[in-house]
Amino acid sequence: MALNYEPVVTESVAKQIAEQIRRAITNGTLKVDEKLPTEAELARQFSVSRPTIREALKRLAAKSLIRSRRGPAGGTFVQAPSTEDVSQDLMSSVALMVSLGVFDLTEIAEARHELELVCIRLAIKRRSSAELDRMAAEIKLQTDEALTDEEFCASDVRFHRALVDATHNPVMQFQMFTVIEALQPVENMVIFRFRERQKIIEQHEKIWRALRDQDLAEAEDAIDEQMVYLRESFAQAKEWRRNRDSVKAAVQ
């Protein structure tokens, strides 16, 4: 089908073309599995060279928005991005916003606290032995004193990912992807000096037992306990940084 594309300027032409096609996909003008015009046809529509079109299509393929198929019935087709692909893009954006200071750690901790309470309420009713086993395996791993800080933090992320998976709610899993995969590692990186591993392990054990026993009150209390502890650790980290910066300023 011929699409009514907007004119493009010479700067970053391939990027602009890719963005116009992306919008056509996301707003439904181009349907999933619909075949795109050939490179030559797109080049004529956009009044650009075929290499420019090829670069634009590479950008779309990198975002899993199109796929190519060889053969007589081949061509380039619109593809629905997977939840994981979209989540990865979202995670990158969130990580960037954190690095730029758009999100404060206190705000992150508050949001995570409330969202994990929602997760635990769903997980209490829906958790399976598979999620309980995954969480138990991470707790066992965390007791290894030879574990590096990086390995402990990675295990912490996997533990909470299993908790989210125990909700068996795809929307909640998607929403929590950035919290667990992007924000939690940032939190861990900031506070690992100020938290006690044994304390975290004990809190994880409390969460696991509550899920196993399907004890909602105990589960909510366990989440509250860990999130409050993390916020206290954030406060310690901020104070430490403030003192460090003051010393540096005094030396200079």
Side-chain angles (χ1 to χ4, degrees):
M1 65 175 288
L3 299 175
N4 295 319
Y5 294 111
E6 301 170 9
V8 295
V9 296
T10 56
E11 183 182 5
S12 303
V13 174
K15 182 178 179 181
Q16 293 179 65
I17 293 171
E19 177 59 23
Q20 288 195 38
I21 296 175
R22 184 195 68 79
R23 285 202 301 267
I25 293 171
T26 55
N27 68 22
T29 303
L30 285 170
K31 308 298 183 184
V32 173
D33 294 329
E34 184 172 341
K35 185 176 180 179
L36 291 179
T38 65
E39 287 183 5
E41 291 168 339
L42 286 171
R44 284 195 296 273
Q45 289 182 31
F46 283 107
S47 299
V48 296
S49 67
R50 289 182 65 174
T52 300
I53 292 297
R54 203 166 296 128
E55 174 61 27
L57 295 178
K58 284 182 181 178
R59 289 173 177 267
L60 293 168
K63 295 184 177 181
S64 301
L65 291 173
I66 61 173
R67 69 182 188 280
S68 296
R69 189 168 70 205
R70 298 183 181 278
T76 302
F77 297 84
V78 175
Q79 176 171 283
S82 69
T83 301
E84 184 176 350
D85 291 327
V86 176
S87 296
Q88 288 289 349
D89 288 343
L90 185 57
M91 185 176 74
S92 299
S93 299
V94 170
L96 176 62
M97 295 177 79
V98 171
S99 67
L100 295 174
V102 177
F103 297 148
D104 180 81
L105 283 175
T106 304
E107 297 167 341
I108 292 171
E110 182 180 56
R112 180 182 167 191
H113 188 172
E114 296 304 318
L115 288 168
E116 288 218 19
L117 283 173
V118 175
C119 287
I120 203 74
R121 289 164 191 152
L122 292 173
I124 279 287
K125 295 179 286 187
R126 302 175 181 177
R127 92 289 183 277
S128 69
S129 58
E131 288 98 31
L132 289 174
D133 289 346
R134 284 167 56 195
M135 296 168 80
E138 295 303 333
I139 293 172
K140 182 178 180 180
L141 178 63
Q142 291 161 16
T143 61
D144 183 354
E145 295 182 359
L147 220 58
T148 66
D149 288 323
E150 184 178 46
E151 290 168 337
F152 186 90
C153 289
S155 176
D156 183 32
V157 168
R158 291 193 298 269
F159 177 89
H160 285 273
R161 186 190 302 151
L163 167 60
V164 173
D165 288 345
T167 67
H168 292 271
N169 183 308
V171 176
M172 182 59 70
Q173 290 167 351
F174 177 77
Q175 183 177 15
M176 289 296 290
F177 188 91
T178 53
V179 176
I180 302 301
E181 304 293 339
L183 298 180
Q184 189 173 335
V186 172
E187 294 173 344
N188 287 339
M189 183 175 63
V190 170
I191 66 171
F192 76 92
R193 294 186 184 90
F194 306 95
R195 68 178 186 181
E196 299 176 31
R197 285 192 184 187
Q198 188 55 41
K199 190 100 172 173
I200 295 295
I201 293 169
E202 290 171 0
Q203 291 163 350
H204 285 171
E205 289 173 338
K206 187 174 180 179
I207 292 170
W208 179 83
R209 284 195 303 271
L211 281 175
R212 180 197 63 189
D213 300 339
Q214 296 187 297
D215 186 333
L216 178 57
E218 184 71 7
E220 290 177 331
D221 183 64
I223 292 294
D224 286 340
E225 181 182 322
Q226 182 161 84
M227 294 304 126
V228 168
Y229 180 67
L230 292 179
R231 288 161 88 166
E232 290 172 351
S233 299
F234 288 145
Q236 286 181 273
K238 290 177 72 173
E239 182 63 24
W240 178 82
R241 285 184 170 183
R242 194 160 37 243
N243 292 337
R244 181 196 61 184
D245 294 342
S246 296
V247 170
K248 283 184 178 179
V251 171
Q252 293 174 352

